[in-house]
Amino acid sequence: MGSFPLLPDRGGRRVFVALGDSFTEGVGDYAPRLPNGVRGWADRVAEKLAKAQPGWEYANLAIRSKRLRHIIGEQLGPALAMEPTLVTLYAGGNDILDFGTDIGTLMEDYESVVAALAGTGATLVLFTGFDVKVSALLEPLKKRNAFYNRRVREIAGRYGAVLVDYWRFDAFHDPRMWDSDRLHMSKAGHKYLASQVLDHLGVPHKIKPKEWEPPVKPGLREWERRQRRWVHDWVLPLFGRKLRGVTLGDQLRPRWPEPVRVPRKGGLKKLLQNQRAGGQSGAG
């Protein structure tokens, strides 16, 4: 059983709590048998933690479409009550996409969340945001994203957080690292990010980057077909939800709302199998 300097053992307590939105919920890494139908990088990190150090408990409070104000109002209190020893936070990406957002105020609120989480004494992991090349229509938001990332780096340094600088990961320039909506990571993207988080924490793992041939650039006709499909499948529904004032996360609950003991072998899928067979959930 390993010992990792960035994950101090507090009397045997090992509690990992993940906060955020779709990025942390796991959207794009589809797994129908898991809660909310997704898996994601945070589940993968929890499983590798448990394999390296048995006894890890894991809660994931993230829900797709949540803004920072929702994370403050709905996730922060429960996370603090769990007395975590490891916390990950990605928040603000959806706010950046809202044209009415005051980015300065957003980052002040973000720092207040970081201060509260850092106050627990837990190892805290923060993320910059990637500059997703979705559409020329979103290029005006690039300055906001750059400001957000600059402030996240400053805040991470101020509070002694582990910074996973997602912005700088060249691997994500490959379109195969993204789901068909072009905004969320694919399964390969989530696996790669999990490996980066584990590397930053010094936790051993065997997750290897996907080995692909260089992507083939589509011809004009194929590019136009893909653009039409993307607009039909993703852009129009997104604007429709905005007009109706609803989000994809409105009817969802957190995937793992209470800390669960992660099995060393078989991971969270094994946990669910045990629960369905009559086993107990929770820390146990």
Side-chain angles (χ1 to χ4, degrees):
M1 181 172 62
S3 176
F4 311 113
L6 291 179
L7 298 172
D9 192 338
R10 298 182 184 172
R13 288 191 73 257
R14 301 187 181 107
V15 183
F16 168 29
V17 181
L19 292 82
D21 52 29
S22 57
F23 174 85
T24 302
E25 184 189 357
V27 174
D29 185 5
Y30 299 107
R33 296 183 180 181
L34 289 174
N36 294 356
V38 294
R39 187 179 181 188
W41 65 264
D43 277 24
R44 296 173 186 278
V45 167
E47 290 167 347
K48 297 305 180 186
L49 285 169
K51 189 171 184 178
Q53 288 183 322
W56 274 94
E57 300 169 27
Y58 167 56
N60 189 327
L61 307 181
I63 296 178
R64 64 199 71 178
S65 306
K66 295 300 183 182
R67 273 59 178 173
L68 179 60
R69 65 182 181 276
H70 302 127
I71 293 166
I72 293 172
E74 301 166 12
Q75 299 179 24
L76 180 58
L80 295 175
M82 293 175 194
E83 299 182 354
T85 56
L86 171 65
V87 183
T88 62
L89 173 69
Y90 177 76
N94 288 313
D95 299 83
I96 290 173
L97 293 174
D98 291 337
F99 284 94
T101 298
D102 182 319
I103 190 68
T105 300
L106 176 72
M107 297 315 297
E108 290 175 2
D109 293 340
Y110 176 93
E111 182 167 359
S112 72
V113 178
V114 171
L117 294 172
T120 66
T123 299
L124 176 58
V125 180
L126 303 179
F127 302 82
T128 55
F130 194 76
D131 182 25
V132 183
K133 301 295 185 183
V134 175
S135 168
L137 295 174
L138 297 182
E139 279 301 297
L141 300 178
K142 187 170 183 176
K143 288 184 178 180
R144 283 189 186 186
N145 204 21
F147 180 83
Y148 172 89
N149 288 340
R150 185 167 64 251
R151 293 283 286 119
V152 168
R153 293 184 186 110
E154 293 171 357
I155 291 167
R158 188 174 304 133
Y159 291 90
V162 176
L163 178 65
V164 178
D165 207 343
Y166 187 36
W167 172 273
R168 301 184 189 278
F169 292 165
D170 289 340
F172 285 95
H173 290 295
D174 191 312
R176 291 167 291 192
M177 297 288 272
W178 300 93
D179 193 18
S180 56
D181 65 359
R182 306 181 187 175
L183 284 172
H184 296 100
M185 291 179 289
S186 64
K187 183 184 293 290
H190 278 278
K191 290 179 70 173
Y192 184 88
L193 187 65
S195 73
Q196 290 296 318
V197 173
L198 292 163
D199 287 347
H200 279 67
L201 294 173
V203 177
H205 64 86
K206 295 182 179 179
I207 302 175
K208 294 183 178 179
K210 194 79 173 179
E211 293 184 3
W212 284 310
E213 294 295 324
V216 177
K217 188 174 182 179
L220 179 59
R221 182 173 296 180
E222 174 64 15
W223 181 85
E224 290 177 339
R225 187 190 69 80
R226 293 181 186 181
Q227 288 295 101
R228 286 195 301 270
R229 183 172 182 179
W230 174 65
V231 170
H232 179 270
D233 291 351
W234 298 106
V235 179
L236 294 179
L238 173 63
F239 278 100
R241 290 192 297 272
K242 283 184 175 293
L243 289 173
R244 297 193 306 274
V246 300
T247 76
L248 292 174
D250 289 347
Q251 305 302 318
L252 296 178
R253 297 181 66 252
R255 300 182 56 243
W256 305 102
E258 300 290 339
V260 294
R261 180 70 61 85
V262 183
R264 186 176 185 183
K265 295 184 179 180
L268 293 160
K269 291 182 180 179
K270 182 68 173 180
L271 173 69
L272 281 180
Q273 290 173 358
N274 291 341
Q275 290 178 357
R276 289 165 181 161
Q280 297 295 315
S281 64

PDB file of all heavy atoms in Angstrom, residues 14-16 46 55-60 255-263 268 271 275 280-284:
ATOM      1  N   ARG A  14      -9.706   8.698   4.249  1.00  0.00           N
ATOM      2  CA  ARG A  14      -9.430   9.005   2.846  1.00  0.00           C
ATOM      3  C   ARG A  14     -10.772   9.270   2.170  1.00  0.00           C
ATOM      4  O   ARG A  14     -11.482   8.328   1.813  1.00  0.00           O
ATOM      5  CB  ARG A  14      -8.695   7.846   2.170  1.00  0.00           C
ATOM      6  CG  ARG A  14      -7.364   7.482   2.830  1.00  0.00           C
ATOM      7  CD  ARG A  14      -6.600   6.449   2.018  1.00  0.00           C
ATOM      8  NE  ARG A  14      -5.362   6.112   2.699  1.00  0.00           N
ATOM      9  CZ  ARG A  14      -5.138   4.965   3.330  1.00  0.00           C
ATOM     10  NH1 ARG A  14      -6.094   4.041   3.357  1.00  0.00           N
ATOM     11  NH2 ARG A  14      -3.996   4.729   3.927  1.00  0.00           N
ATOM     12  N   VAL A  15     -11.109  10.549   1.997  1.00  0.00           N
ATOM     13  CA  VAL A  15     -12.410  10.928   1.428  1.00  0.00           C
ATOM     14  C   VAL A  15     -12.185  11.895   0.269  1.00  0.00           C
ATOM     15  O   VAL A  15     -11.667  12.999   0.461  1.00  0.00           O
ATOM     16  CB  VAL A  15     -13.324  11.598   2.484  1.00  0.00           C
ATOM     17  CG1 VAL A  15     -14.688  11.918   1.867  1.00  0.00           C
ATOM     18  CG2 VAL A  15     -13.485  10.705   3.700  1.00  0.00           C
ATOM     19  N   PHE A  16     -12.560  11.468  -0.926  1.00  0.00           N
ATOM     20  CA  PHE A  16     -12.437  12.268  -2.143  1.00  0.00           C
ATOM     21  C   PHE A  16     -13.819  12.792  -2.524  1.00  0.00           C
ATOM     22  O   PHE A  16     -14.751  12.018  -2.713  1.00  0.00           O
ATOM     23  CB  PHE A  16     -11.852  11.391  -3.250  1.00  0.00           C
ATOM     24  CG  PHE A  16     -11.920  11.961  -4.646  1.00  0.00           C
ATOM     25  CD1 PHE A  16     -11.914  13.335  -4.894  1.00  0.00           C
ATOM     26  CD2 PHE A  16     -11.960  11.101  -5.749  1.00  0.00           C
ATOM     27  CE1 PHE A  16     -11.973  13.838  -6.195  1.00  0.00           C
ATOM     28  CE2 PHE A  16     -12.012  11.591  -7.043  1.00  0.00           C
ATOM     29  CZ  PHE A  16     -12.028  12.965  -7.265  1.00  0.00           C
ATOM     30  N   ALA A  46     -11.058   8.010  -8.654  1.00  0.00           N
ATOM     31  CA  ALA A  46     -11.449   7.356  -7.400  1.00  0.00           C
ATOM     32  C   ALA A  46     -11.066   5.877  -7.411  1.00  0.00           C
ATOM     33  O   ALA A  46     -10.580   5.335  -6.404  1.00  0.00           O
ATOM     34  CB  ALA A  46     -12.955   7.517  -7.183  1.00  0.00           C
ATOM     35  N   GLY A  55      -9.433   1.750   0.939  1.00  0.00           N
ATOM     36  CA  GLY A  55     -10.118   2.509   1.987  1.00  0.00           C
ATOM     37  C   GLY A  55     -10.639   3.849   1.543  1.00  0.00           C
ATOM     38  O   GLY A  55     -11.281   4.557   2.318  1.00  0.00           O
ATOM     39  N   TRP A  56     -10.405   4.225   0.278  1.00  0.00           N
ATOM     40  CA  TRP A  56     -10.892   5.515  -0.199  1.00  0.00           C
ATOM     41  C   TRP A  56     -12.416   5.523  -0.317  1.00  0.00           C
ATOM     42  O   TRP A  56     -13.028   4.571  -0.813  1.00  0.00           O
ATOM     43  CB  TRP A  56     -10.278   5.862  -1.553  1.00  0.00           C
ATOM     44  CG  TRP A  56      -8.961   6.547  -1.426  1.00  0.00           C
ATOM     45  CD1 TRP A  56      -7.727   5.954  -1.448  1.00  0.00           C
ATOM     46  CD2 TRP A  56      -8.731   7.944  -1.233  1.00  0.00           C
ATOM     47  NE1 TRP A  56      -6.744   6.904  -1.288  1.00  0.00           N
ATOM     48  CE2 TRP A  56      -7.332   8.129  -1.153  1.00  0.00           C
ATOM     49  CE3 TRP A  56      -9.574   9.045  -1.124  1.00  0.00           C
ATOM     50  CZ2 TRP A  56      -6.758   9.386  -0.956  1.00  0.00           C
ATOM     51  CZ3 TRP A  56      -9.001  10.300  -0.930  1.00  0.00           C
ATOM     52  CH2 TRP A  56      -7.602  10.460  -0.853  1.00  0.00           C
ATOM     53  N   GLU A  57     -13.011   6.622   0.159  1.00  0.00           N
ATOM     54  CA  GLU A  57     -14.425   6.893  -0.039  1.00  0.00           C
ATOM     55  C   GLU A  57     -14.545   8.014  -1.066  1.00  0.00           C
ATOM     56  O   GLU A  57     -13.664   8.869  -1.166  1.00  0.00           O
ATOM     57  CB  GLU A  57     -15.088   7.295   1.275  1.00  0.00           C
ATOM     58  CG  GLU A  57     -14.995   6.223   2.351  1.00  0.00           C
ATOM     59  CD  GLU A  57     -15.407   6.749   3.703  1.00  0.00           C
ATOM     60  OE1 GLU A  57     -16.208   7.708   3.765  1.00  0.00           O
ATOM     61  OE2 GLU A  57     -14.916   6.221   4.716  1.00  0.00           O
ATOM     62  N   TYR A  58     -15.660   8.032  -1.777  1.00  0.00           N
ATOM     63  CA  TYR A  58     -15.794   8.939  -2.917  1.00  0.00           C
ATOM     64  C   TYR A  58     -17.222   9.448  -3.019  1.00  0.00           C
ATOM     65  O   TYR A  58     -18.181   8.690  -2.938  1.00  0.00           O
ATOM     66  CB  TYR A  58     -15.409   8.186  -4.189  1.00  0.00           C
ATOM     67  CG  TYR A  58     -15.759   8.834  -5.505  1.00  0.00           C
ATOM     68  CD1 TYR A  58     -15.318  10.119  -5.834  1.00  0.00           C
ATOM     69  CD2 TYR A  58     -16.513   8.136  -6.456  1.00  0.00           C
ATOM     70  CE1 TYR A  58     -15.622  10.684  -7.072  1.00  0.00           C
ATOM     71  CE2 TYR A  58     -16.810   8.690  -7.693  1.00  0.00           C
ATOM     72  CZ  TYR A  58     -16.368   9.962  -7.994  1.00  0.00           C
ATOM     73  OH  TYR A  58     -16.663  10.516  -9.210  1.00  0.00           O
ATOM     74  N   ALA A  59     -17.338  10.768  -3.189  1.00  0.00           N
ATOM     75  CA  ALA A  59     -18.617  11.409  -3.479  1.00  0.00           C
ATOM     76  C   ALA A  59     -18.428  12.322  -4.677  1.00  0.00           C
ATOM     77  O   ALA A  59     -17.410  13.009  -4.777  1.00  0.00           O
ATOM     78  CB  ALA A  59     -19.119  12.205  -2.278  1.00  0.00           C
ATOM     79  N   ASN A  60     -19.406  12.328  -5.580  1.00  0.00           N
ATOM     80  CA  ASN A  60     -19.358  13.219  -6.745  1.00  0.00           C
ATOM     81  C   ASN A  60     -20.664  14.001  -6.770  1.00  0.00           C
ATOM     82  O   ASN A  60     -21.735  13.448  -7.029  1.00  0.00           O
ATOM     83  CB  ASN A  60     -19.182  12.419  -8.031  1.00  0.00           C
ATOM     84  CG  ASN A  60     -18.915  13.305  -9.235  1.00  0.00           C
ATOM     85  OD1 ASN A  60     -19.412  14.426  -9.325  1.00  0.00           O
ATOM     86  ND2 ASN A  60     -18.126  12.806 -10.179  1.00  0.00           N
ATOM     87  N   ARG A 255     -24.464  12.099  -8.805  1.00  0.00           N
ATOM     88  CA  ARG A 255     -24.244  10.683  -9.114  1.00  0.00           C
ATOM     89  C   ARG A 255     -23.889   9.883  -7.868  1.00  0.00           C
ATOM     90  O   ARG A 255     -24.339   8.756  -7.687  1.00  0.00           O
ATOM     91  CB  ARG A 255     -23.129  10.554 -10.154  1.00  0.00           C
ATOM     92  CG  ARG A 255     -23.452  11.275 -11.463  1.00  0.00           C
ATOM     93  CD  ARG A 255     -22.351  11.086 -12.503  1.00  0.00           C
ATOM     94  NE  ARG A 255     -22.122   9.690 -12.736  1.00  0.00           N
ATOM     95  CZ  ARG A 255     -20.968   9.081 -12.478  1.00  0.00           C
ATOM     96  NH1 ARG A 255     -19.944   9.748 -11.983  1.00  0.00           N
ATOM     97  NH2 ARG A 255     -20.830   7.785 -12.710  1.00  0.00           N
ATOM     98  N   TRP A 256     -23.041  10.443  -7.040  1.00  0.00           N
ATOM     99  CA  TRP A 256     -22.642   9.787  -5.784  1.00  0.00           C
ATOM    100  C   TRP A 256     -22.793  10.833  -4.680  1.00  0.00           C
ATOM    101  O   TRP A 256     -21.826  11.459  -4.265  1.00  0.00           O
ATOM    102  CB  TRP A 256     -21.196   9.280  -5.861  1.00  0.00           C
ATOM    103  CG  TRP A 256     -20.907   8.379  -7.024  1.00  0.00           C
ATOM    104  CD1 TRP A 256     -20.279   8.696  -8.189  1.00  0.00           C
ATOM    105  CD2 TRP A 256     -21.263   6.994  -7.145  1.00  0.00           C
ATOM    106  NE1 TRP A 256     -20.207   7.615  -9.029  1.00  0.00           N
ATOM    107  CE2 TRP A 256     -20.806   6.549  -8.417  1.00  0.00           C
ATOM    108  CE3 TRP A 256     -21.919   6.085  -6.309  1.00  0.00           C
ATOM    109  CZ2 TRP A 256     -20.976   5.237  -8.863  1.00  0.00           C
ATOM    110  CZ3 TRP A 256     -22.089   4.785  -6.756  1.00  0.00           C
ATOM    111  CH2 TRP A 256     -21.617   4.376  -8.003  1.00  0.00           C
ATOM    112  N   PRO A 257     -24.021  11.067  -4.180  1.00  0.00           N
ATOM    113  CA  PRO A 257     -24.281  12.184  -3.258  1.00  0.00           C
ATOM    114  C   PRO A 257     -23.692  12.007  -1.862  1.00  0.00           C
ATOM    115  O   PRO A 257     -23.502  12.981  -1.140  1.00  0.00           O
ATOM    116  CB  PRO A 257     -25.810  12.239  -3.198  1.00  0.00           C
ATOM    117  CG  PRO A 257     -26.252  10.850  -3.527  1.00  0.00           C
ATOM    118  CD  PRO A 257     -25.256  10.337  -4.528  1.00  0.00           C
ATOM    119  N   GLU A 258     -23.424  10.764  -1.470  1.00  0.00           N
ATOM    120  CA  GLU A 258     -22.806  10.467  -0.174  1.00  0.00           C
ATOM    121  C   GLU A 258     -21.536   9.661  -0.420  1.00  0.00           C
ATOM    122  O   GLU A 258     -21.457   8.896  -1.396  1.00  0.00           O
ATOM    123  CB  GLU A 258     -23.762   9.663   0.708  1.00  0.00           C
ATOM    124  CG  GLU A 258     -25.078  10.363   1.006  1.00  0.00           C
ATOM    125  CD  GLU A 258     -24.907  11.555   1.931  1.00  0.00           C
ATOM    126  OE1 GLU A 258     -23.872  11.608   2.642  1.00  0.00           O
ATOM    127  OE2 GLU A 258     -25.789  12.425   1.949  1.00  0.00           O
ATOM    128  N   PRO A 259     -20.539   9.798   0.449  1.00  0.00           N
ATOM    129  CA  PRO A 259     -19.308   9.027   0.240  1.00  0.00           C
ATOM    130  C   PRO A 259     -19.578   7.527   0.225  1.00  0.00           C
ATOM    131  O   PRO A 259     -20.283   7.004   1.094  1.00  0.00           O
ATOM    132  CB  PRO A 259     -18.444   9.418   1.445  1.00  0.00           C
ATOM    133  CG  PRO A 259     -18.960  10.753   1.865  1.00  0.00           C
ATOM    134  CD  PRO A 259     -20.441  10.710   1.598  1.00  0.00           C
ATOM    135  N   VAL A 260     -19.043   6.867  -0.788  1.00  0.00           N
ATOM    136  CA  VAL A 260     -19.141   5.408  -0.892  1.00  0.00           C
ATOM    137  C   VAL A 260     -17.737   4.830  -0.852  1.00  0.00           C
ATOM    138  O   VAL A 260     -16.791   5.428  -1.360  1.00  0.00           O
ATOM    139  CB  VAL A 260     -19.867   4.970  -2.185  1.00  0.00           C
ATOM    140  CG1 VAL A 260     -21.327   5.392  -2.163  1.00  0.00           C
ATOM    141  CG2 VAL A 260     -19.175   5.528  -3.428  1.00  0.00           C
ATOM    142  N   ARG A 261     -17.606   3.680  -0.229  1.00  0.00           N
ATOM    143  CA  ARG A 261     -16.316   2.998  -0.185  1.00  0.00           C
ATOM    144  C   ARG A 261     -16.064   2.355  -1.540  1.00  0.00           C
ATOM    145  O   ARG A 261     -16.864   1.529  -1.993  1.00  0.00           O
ATOM    146  CB  ARG A 261     -16.307   1.952   0.930  1.00  0.00           C
ATOM    147  CG  ARG A 261     -15.017   1.179   1.086  1.00  0.00           C
ATOM    148  CD  ARG A 261     -13.876   2.047   1.626  1.00  0.00           C
ATOM    149  NE  ARG A 261     -14.165   2.592   2.925  1.00  0.00           N
ATOM    150  CZ  ARG A 261     -13.958   1.965   4.092  1.00  0.00           C
ATOM    151  NH1 ARG A 261     -13.454   0.742   4.097  1.00  0.00           N
ATOM    152  NH2 ARG A 261     -14.234   2.557   5.235  1.00  0.00           N
ATOM    153  N   VAL A 262     -14.986   2.736  -2.177  1.00  0.00           N
ATOM    154  CA  VAL A 262     -14.686   2.242  -3.524  1.00  0.00           C
ATOM    155  C   VAL A 262     -13.954   0.909  -3.419  1.00  0.00           C
ATOM    156  O   VAL A 262     -12.889   0.840  -2.792  1.00  0.00           O
ATOM    157  CB  VAL A 262     -13.831   3.250  -4.314  1.00  0.00           C
ATOM    158  CG1 VAL A 262     -13.598   2.757  -5.738  1.00  0.00           C
ATOM    159  CG2 VAL A 262     -14.497   4.623  -4.334  1.00  0.00           C
ATOM    160  N   PRO A 263     -14.497  -0.159  -4.023  1.00  0.00           N
ATOM    161  CA  PRO A 263     -13.793  -1.449  -3.988  1.00  0.00           C
ATOM    162  C   PRO A 263     -12.430  -1.363  -4.672  1.00  0.00           C
ATOM    163  O   PRO A 263     -12.293  -0.696  -5.701  1.00  0.00           O
ATOM    164  CB  PRO A 263     -14.733  -2.389  -4.759  1.00  0.00           C
ATOM    165  CG  PRO A 263     -16.077  -1.740  -4.696  1.00  0.00           C
ATOM    166  CD  PRO A 263     -15.795  -0.267  -4.708  1.00  0.00           C
ATOM    167  N   LEU A 268     -16.270   1.062  -9.192  1.00  0.00           N
ATOM    168  CA  LEU A 268     -17.621   1.503  -8.861  1.00  0.00           C
ATOM    169  C   LEU A 268     -18.684   0.624  -9.506  1.00  0.00           C
ATOM    170  O   LEU A 268     -19.802   0.514  -8.980  1.00  0.00           O
ATOM    171  CB  LEU A 268     -17.790   2.965  -9.268  1.00  0.00           C
ATOM    172  CG  LEU A 268     -16.922   3.909  -8.433  1.00  0.00           C
ATOM    173  CD1 LEU A 268     -16.733   5.237  -9.139  1.00  0.00           C
ATOM    174  CD2 LEU A 268     -17.530   4.124  -7.064  1.00  0.00           C
ATOM    175  N   LEU A 271     -19.218  -1.990  -7.044  1.00  0.00           N
ATOM    176  CA  LEU A 271     -19.997  -1.454  -5.933  1.00  0.00           C
ATOM    177  C   LEU A 271     -21.490  -1.508  -6.244  1.00  0.00           C
ATOM    178  O   LEU A 271     -22.299  -1.944  -5.415  1.00  0.00           O
ATOM    179  CB  LEU A 271     -19.573  -0.019  -5.635  1.00  0.00           C
ATOM    180  CG  LEU A 271     -20.412   0.744  -4.600  1.00  0.00           C
ATOM    181  CD1 LEU A 271     -20.195   0.163  -3.222  1.00  0.00           C
ATOM    182  CD2 LEU A 271     -20.068   2.223  -4.619  1.00  0.00           C
ATOM    183  N   GLN A 275     -24.555  -3.521  -4.412  1.00  0.00           N
ATOM    184  CA  GLN A 275     -25.747  -2.860  -3.888  1.00  0.00           C
ATOM    185  C   GLN A 275     -27.006  -3.521  -4.429  1.00  0.00           C
ATOM    186  O   GLN A 275     -27.964  -3.760  -3.694  1.00  0.00           O
ATOM    187  CB  GLN A 275     -25.721  -1.378  -4.248  1.00  0.00           C
ATOM    188  CG  GLN A 275     -24.660  -0.574  -3.513  1.00  0.00           C
ATOM    189  CD  GLN A 275     -24.636   0.876  -3.946  1.00  0.00           C
ATOM    190  OE1 GLN A 275     -25.366   1.279  -4.841  1.00  0.00           O
ATOM    191  NE2 GLN A 275     -23.787   1.662  -3.310  1.00  0.00           N
ATOM    192  N   GLN A 280     -24.661  -3.134   1.073  1.00  0.00           N
ATOM    193  CA  GLN A 280     -24.898  -1.818   1.657  1.00  0.00           C
ATOM    194  C   GLN A 280     -24.087  -0.774   0.936  1.00  0.00           C
ATOM    195  O   GLN A 280     -22.932  -0.998   0.571  1.00  0.00           O
ATOM    196  CB  GLN A 280     -24.520  -1.805   3.145  1.00  0.00           C
ATOM    197  CG  GLN A 280     -25.367  -2.746   3.976  1.00  0.00           C
ATOM    198  CD  GLN A 280     -26.826  -2.328   3.996  1.00  0.00           C
ATOM    199  OE1 GLN A 280     -27.151  -1.171   4.168  1.00  0.00           O
ATOM    200  NE2 GLN A 280     -27.717  -3.287   3.793  1.00  0.00           N
ATOM    201  N   SER A 281     -24.672   0.411   0.722  1.00  0.00           N
ATOM    202  CA  SER A 281     -23.932   1.562   0.212  1.00  0.00           C
ATOM    203  C   SER A 281     -23.321   2.311   1.363  1.00  0.00           C
ATOM    204  O   SER A 281     -23.514   1.943   2.538  1.00  0.00           O
ATOM    205  CB  SER A 281     -24.872   2.476  -0.589  1.00  0.00           C
ATOM    206  OG  SER A 281     -25.856   2.995   0.264  1.00  0.00           O
ATOM    207  N   GLY A 282     -22.616   3.400   1.054  1.00  0.00           N
ATOM    208  CA  GLY A 282     -22.031   4.214   2.108  1.00  0.00           C
ATOM    209  C   GLY A 282     -20.617   3.766   2.415  1.00  0.00           C
ATOM    210  O   GLY A 282     -20.035   2.917   1.761  1.00  0.00           O
ATOM    211  N   ALA A 283     -20.072   4.338   3.502  1.00  0.00           N
ATOM    212  CA  ALA A 283     -18.669   4.112   3.814  1.00  0.00           C
ATOM    213  C   ALA A 283     -18.400   2.684   4.224  1.00  0.00           C
ATOM    214  O   ALA A 283     -17.393   2.111   3.884  1.00  0.00           O
ATOM    215  CB  ALA A 283     -18.224   5.093   4.894  1.00  0.00           C
ATOM    216  N   GLY A 284     -19.288   2.111   5.029  1.00  0.00           N
ATOM    217  CA  GLY A 284     -19.201   0.701   5.394  1.00  0.00           C
ATOM    218  C   GLY A 284     -17.939   0.284   6.090  1.00  0.00           C
ATOM    219  O   GLY A 284     -16.876   0.633   5.721  1.00  0.00           O
TER     220      GLY A 284
END
